[in-house]
Amino acid sequence: MDHPHRRLNPLTNEYILVSPHRIKRPWLGQTEPLQSINLPKYDPDCYLCPGNRRSNGEQNPSYNHTFTFENDFAAVLPPPLPSPPPPPHPFLTCQPIHGACDVVVFHPRHDLTLSDLPLHDIESVIDEWTRIYQMRGAEQGIKYVQIFENKGAMMGCSNPHPHAQIWSLSVVPTIAAVELESLIKYSLSHTRWRPCLLCEYAHVELKLQTRVVVLNQSWVAVVPWWATWPFELIVLPYRRHIPCLSDLDVAEKAALADIIARVSRCFDNLFSCSFPYSMGVHQQPIPAQNSTIDVAHIHLHFDPPLLRSATVRKFLVGFELMAEAQRDLTPEEAAVRLRSCSEGLPNVT
Amino acid sequence: MDHPHRRLNPLTNEYILVSPHRIKRPWLGQTEPLQSINLPKYDPDCYLCPGNRRSNGEQNPSYNHTFTFENDFAAVLPPPLPSPPPPPHPFLTCQPIHGACDVVVFHPRHDLTLSDLPLHDIESVIDEWTRIYQMRGAEQGIKYVQIFENKGAMMGCSNPHPHAQIWSLSVVPTIAAVELESLIKYSLSHTRWRPCLLCEYAHVELKLQTRVVVLNQSWVAVVPWWATWPFELIVLPYRRHIPCLSDLDVAEKAALADIIARVSRCFDNLFSCSFPYSMGVHQQPIPAQNSTIDVAHIHLHFDPPLLRSATVRKFLVGFELMAEAQRDLTPEEAAVRLRSCSEGLPNVT
Ligand SMILES: [Zn+2]
Ligand SMILES: [Zn+2]
């Protein structure tokens, strides 16, 4: 694997070009400003801090754990929507979409990320994600609930106060739909039993260990074989098939909080900075009545943009926008570096 | 179309979420440093300027038009490559790839972009692209020749001296393969004639004019119905079906140079800056012997990252990385703004 080669992402059916021989290329490109890490515990100008006013004039409560509100600039709106006019050509069809956009603030403290919060506070965040997933999923026409976090100015995040967004939609969005299609196809590939692509993948990685970064009693974090981002991670439950947040038992929820905390600290340690990333939870779409879409296997994607240090980012440009994802550092080397920043692989068997 | 809706990209079969009501959202995010535009005509430290030495010690000739050399840090290598070891599991299969990476410098002048070059110099660039497409396409096992340009530090481009890269590969890369599959499917949708998706799309846009930005006697530049980037453009020949650069006649080549120049100036005018973008040429894969892959329709994608000004970029993060592309500004509004910066739509019929 020292030579250029391609790897297939079985979730998206897209290839990535890996160029391990090129890792010694000198860096001549842009560097980013280093983010300040001296944040106050409370910022009077932050629209997420307790007691402050948001741009629509509403005042945040003085909350103690999580705090959820509807985004004042939601990308989708509640129903009913006017039906779109008939298109002048099939190419120009507007597909209607409705839904809601919620913001989940993790904690009253302006300065505490998932690396810093006590485990029970991270469990409160997971509880809140689960509550919204169920509440929005019960609303009319909602088909998918997308939980994601944008962390760091490098990810375009305008506010460092730790929070996630949850967009609940009347459609299954493109990437979730593509992954789900791959899971369905894989499950149908064996007629006698119904294998899960991600259960199987987790087992393969646990056996080999080469790409495993963090492991606990229920979850594993690996740099996937097909990683696009230099230090991309996928976090999977590996002991049993788990479609969604609602299916987690108490121990699995505690273990999810644990692996989120350990992944975050591992990232922060890597370049000694508050590590920027986009995180997303992929899980079961909202099942229609009489339907059982239990083929989904819950997992978290962490896509961090950093490449060589806290100030050098990877750009998805040029060949990657026009042709195919590409990386120089192999996922195996990324895993070695991340493991050296983790708190050790516990011997869980 | 004032309400949130989704649009389908028929080339990739992916949706984009459009949220036109959200365009008044205040901007609180990161801004980028404004790039200096006072570049010297010659920079003694530039590895692309005539007569200078590159990092491998080679000296550039004192060229007068274009200058092409093999990238000193190529992402792919020439054959033969060792065959990869048998994978421990089908998920972990390495696909071998070989090829070559060329750099095409547009002009000896360090400071002249495609906006500034006389048309005959842009024609020389197109001639050189065509020559490499044919030369590399004749090499053993090459299946695709991907021409692309990364312009501007915001696109991670480390050198402002105008140049493109050409990666010739023993595989058809992911995005070109997906687009090609859509073109083939569309062509097979009518059994009696073989319609071209992009010929048809160009005709629809020319009839409606709403998304057309620049037009000349052979080519049209439109903000596609499904644009992901705020001011994304697709440049298409609309008079006849043209699979690749080799098929352009003299007038079509001159018209391509013309529309590239006008698109570049239009971009630069929009925010009064040297507009950053990634550009890529999609065209016919290298046909195998006895094969006629003439279903491809040559087109150029321009993907610029700028959103509101020369210093505010769009980030592809969060929801977009995890779920689906999303935009606030509609493609129709983007086209209005771009048209106001162009040199007028000539009356070509
Ligand atoms: Zn996923
Ligand atoms: Zn294309």
Side-chain angles (χ1 to χ4, degrees):
Chain A
M1 295 199 294
D2 293 340
H3 291 83
H5 62 274
R6 286 171 109 201
R7 303 182 180 194
L8 181 67
N9 180 340
L11 287 170
T12 60
N13 210 32
E14 292 174 348
Y15 282 93
I16 168 153
L17 170 59
V18 185
S19 310
H21 65 288
R22 201 161 77 141
I23 193 66
K24 288 175 286 292
R25 195 162 55 124
W27 181 255
L28 301 166
Q30 190 175 346
T31 57
E32 308 283 322
L34 194 62
Q35 275 284 137
S36 158
I37 48 160
N38 291 316
L39 292 172
K41 294 180 184 178
Y42 164 80
D43 179 350
D45 294 327
C46 167
Y47 65 91
L48 301 178
C49 275
N52 290 358
R53 274 191 199 285
R54 301 203 304 280
S55 64
N56 67 353
E58 270 180 46
Q59 190 180 18
N60 296 334
S62 48
Y63 57 98
N64 293 313
H65 296 286
T66 62
F67 163 53
T68 299
F69 63 94
E70 264 197 81
N71 195 321
D72 304 327
F73 298 97
V76 285
L77 300 173
L81 294 180
S83 13
H89 186 281
F91 282 141
L92 310 180
T93 304
C94 280
Q95 187 187 80
I97 183 171
H98 74 257
C101 297
D102 296 296
V103 177
V104 177
V105 189
F106 293 166
H107 195 271
R109 283 275 296 268
H110 186 76
D111 58 334
L112 295 187
T113 71
L114 292 170
S115 305
D116 312 307
L117 287 178
L119 285 188
H120 66 88
D121 280 319
I122 302 180
E123 282 191 61
S124 297
V125 171
I126 298 168
D127 283 335
E128 187 62 5
W129 291 347
T130 310
R131 187 183 73 82
I132 305 282
Y133 174 69
Q134 291 168 349
M135 180 192 77
R136 291 297 186 190
E139 288 179 8
Q140 194 211 333
I142 295 302
K143 295 224 177 87
Y144 202 81
V145 176
Q146 178 63 59
I147 300 167
F148 64 97
E149 180 191 4
N150 255 349
K151 182 175 170 239
M154 208 179 274
M155 301 314 278
C157 182
S158 49
N159 192 328
H161 195 132
H163 66 284
Q165 298 192 58
I166 304 186
W167 292 14
S168 304
L169 306 167
S170 61
V171 300
V172 181
T174 298
I175 296 173
V178 166
E179 290 194 353
L180 209 62
E181 210 178 292
S182 300
L183 290 168
I184 291 171
K185 210 183 222 173
Y186 195 87
S187 137
L188 296 175
S189 66
H190 296 271
T191 43
R192 273 188 292 173
W193 71 103
R194 290 268 176 267
C196 168
L197 193 159
L198 286 173
C199 286
E200 169 87 4
Y201 180 64
H203 289 153
V204 170
E205 291 294 12
L206 279 170
K207 199 168 150 194
L208 292 173
Q209 300 267 330
T210 33
R211 279 166 297 275
V212 172
V213 172
V214 183
L215 179 70
N216 67 23
Q217 63 273 28
S218 305
W219 299 78
V220 61
V222 301
V223 183
W225 170 256
W226 55 82
T228 295
W229 296 95
F231 297 98
E232 183 175 334
L233 286 177
I234 186 168
V235 176
L236 295 161
Y238 65 89
R239 286 225 184 258
R240 65 182 187 103
H241 183 68
I242 304 180
C244 69
L245 284 172
S246 311
D247 297 322
L248 296 178
D249 67 26
V250 174
E252 287 161 345
K253 191 178 72 183
L256 175 56
D258 170 71
I259 205 160
I260 288 176
R262 294 210 276 150
V263 160
S264 306
R265 286 199 295 270
C266 177
F267 276 153
D268 287 359
N269 290 340
L270 183 64
F271 295 136
S272 304
C273 68
S274 184
F275 208 73
Y277 60 72
S278 281
M279 182 279 289
V281 181
H282 283 154
Q283 55 182 327
Q284 186 176 288
I286 306 306
Q289 233 106 37
N290 305 322
S291 145
T292 47
I293 317 176
D294 58 358
V295 75
H297 188 75
I298 189 173
H299 57 280
L300 283 67
H301 295 276
F302 285 87
D303 292 355
L306 290 179
L307 178 60
R308 288 167 185 242
S309 73
T311 57
V312 175
R313 67 169 291 153
K314 177 185 174 76
F315 289 85
L316 281 189
V317 295
F319 186 78
E320 308 211 75
L321 281 182
M322 299 302 163
E324 190 163 294
Q326 191 271 335
R327 62 183 295 143
D328 296 346
L329 181 77
T330 64
E332 294 72 33
E333 284 162 350
V336 168
R337 296 195 51 194
L338 281 169
R339 263 202 304 272
S340 76
C341 299
S342 78
E343 292 137 25
L345 278 180
N347 263 331
V348 181
T349 46
Chain B
M1 295 200 293
D2 292 340
H3 291 83
H5 62 274
R6 287 170 108 200
R7 304 182 180 196
L8 182 67
N9 179 340
L11 286 170
T12 59
N13 209 32
E14 291 174 349
Y15 282 93
I16 168 156
L17 170 59
V18 186
S19 311
H21 65 288
R22 201 160 76 139
I23 192 69
K24 287 174 290 289
R25 196 162 53 125
W27 180 257
L28 301 166
Q30 191 176 348
T31 58
E32 308 282 324
L34 195 62
Q35 276 284 140
S36 159
I37 50 161
N38 291 316
L39 292 171
K41 294 179 185 179
Y42 165 80
D43 178 351
D45 294 326
C46 167
Y47 65 91
L48 302 177
C49 274
N52 291 358
R53 273 191 201 285
R54 300 203 304 280
S55 63
N56 67 353
E58 269 179 48
Q59 189 179 21
N60 297 333
S62 47
Y63 58 97
N64 293 312
H65 296 286
T66 61
F67 163 55
T68 299
F69 63 94
E70 263 198 82
N71 195 321
D72 303 326
F73 299 97
V76 286
L77 300 172
L81 294 181
S83 13
H89 186 281
F91 282 142
L92 309 180
T93 304
C94 280
Q95 188 187 77
I97 184 170
H98 74 257
C101 298
D102 296 297
V103 177
V104 177
V105 189
F106 293 166
H107 195 270
R109 282 276 294 269
H110 185 76
D111 58 334
L112 295 186
T113 71
L114 292 169
S115 305
D116 312 308
L117 288 177
L119 286 186
H120 65 87
D121 279 320
I122 302 181
E123 282 190 60
S124 297
V125 172
I126 298 168
D127 283 336
E128 186 63 4
W129 292 347
T130 311
R131 186 182 73 82
I132 305 283
Y133 174 70
Q134 292 167 348
M135 179 192 78
R136 291 297 185 187
E139 290 180 6
Q140 192 212 332
I142 295 301
K143 293 223 177 88
Y144 203 82
V145 175
Q146 179 62 59
I147 300 167
F148 64 97
E149 180 192 3
N150 256 349
K151 182 176 169 240
M154 209 179 276
M155 302 312 280
C157 182
S158 49
N159 192 327
H161 195 131
H163 66 284
Q165 298 192 57
I166 304 185
W167 292 15
S168 304
L169 306 167
S170 60
V171 299
V172 180
T174 298
I175 296 173
V178 166
E179 290 193 354
L180 210 62
E181 210 179 292
S182 301
L183 291 167
I184 291 171
K185 209 183 222 175
Y186 194 87
S187 137
L188 296 175
S189 66
H190 296 271
T191 42
R192 272 188 293 174
W193 71 106
R194 288 269 176 266
C196 169
L197 193 159
L198 285 172
C199 285
E200 170 87 2
Y201 179 65
H203 288 152
V204 170
E205 291 295 12
L206 279 169
K207 199 168 149 196
L208 293 173
Q209 300 268 329
T210 33
R211 280 167 296 274
V212 173
V213 172
V214 183
L215 178 71
N216 68 21
Q217 62 273 24
S218 305
W219 299 77
V220 61
V222 302
V223 184
W225 170 256
W226 56 81
T228 293
W229 297 95
F231 297 98
E232 182 175 335
L233 286 177
I234 186 168
V235 176
L236 296 160
Y238 65 89
R239 287 223 184 262
R240 66 181 187 102
H241 182 70
I242 305 180
C244 69
L245 284 171
S246 310
D247 297 322
L248 296 178
D249 68 26
V250 174
E252 289 162 342
K253 190 178 71 182
L256 175 57
D258 171 70
I259 204 159
I260 287 176
R262 294 212 277 149
V263 160
S264 307
R265 286 199 296 269
C266 179
F267 276 153
D268 287 0
N269 291 339
L270 183 64
F271 295 136
S272 303
C273 68
S274 185
F275 208 73
Y277 60 74
S278 280
M279 183 280 289
V281 181
H282 283 155
Q283 54 182 327
Q284 186 177 286
I286 306 307
Q289 234 108 35
N290 304 323
S291 147
T292 49
I293 317 178
D294 59 358
V295 76
H297 187 76
I298 188 173
H299 58 279
L300 284 67
H301 295 276
F302 285 87
D303 292 354
L306 289 179
L307 178 60
R308 290 168 183 239
S309 73
T311 56
V312 175
R313 67 170 292 154
K314 178 186 173 75
F315 289 85
L316 282 188
V317 294
F319 187 78
E320 308 211 73
L321 281 182
M322 298 302 162
E324 188 164 296
Q326 191 273 334
R327 61 182 294 142
D328 296 345
L329 182 78
T330 64
E332 295 72 32
E333 285 162 349
V336 168
R337 296 193 52 191
L338 281 169
R339 264 202 304 271
S340 75
C341 299
S342 77
E343 291 137 26
L345 279 180
N347 262 333
V348 182
T349 46

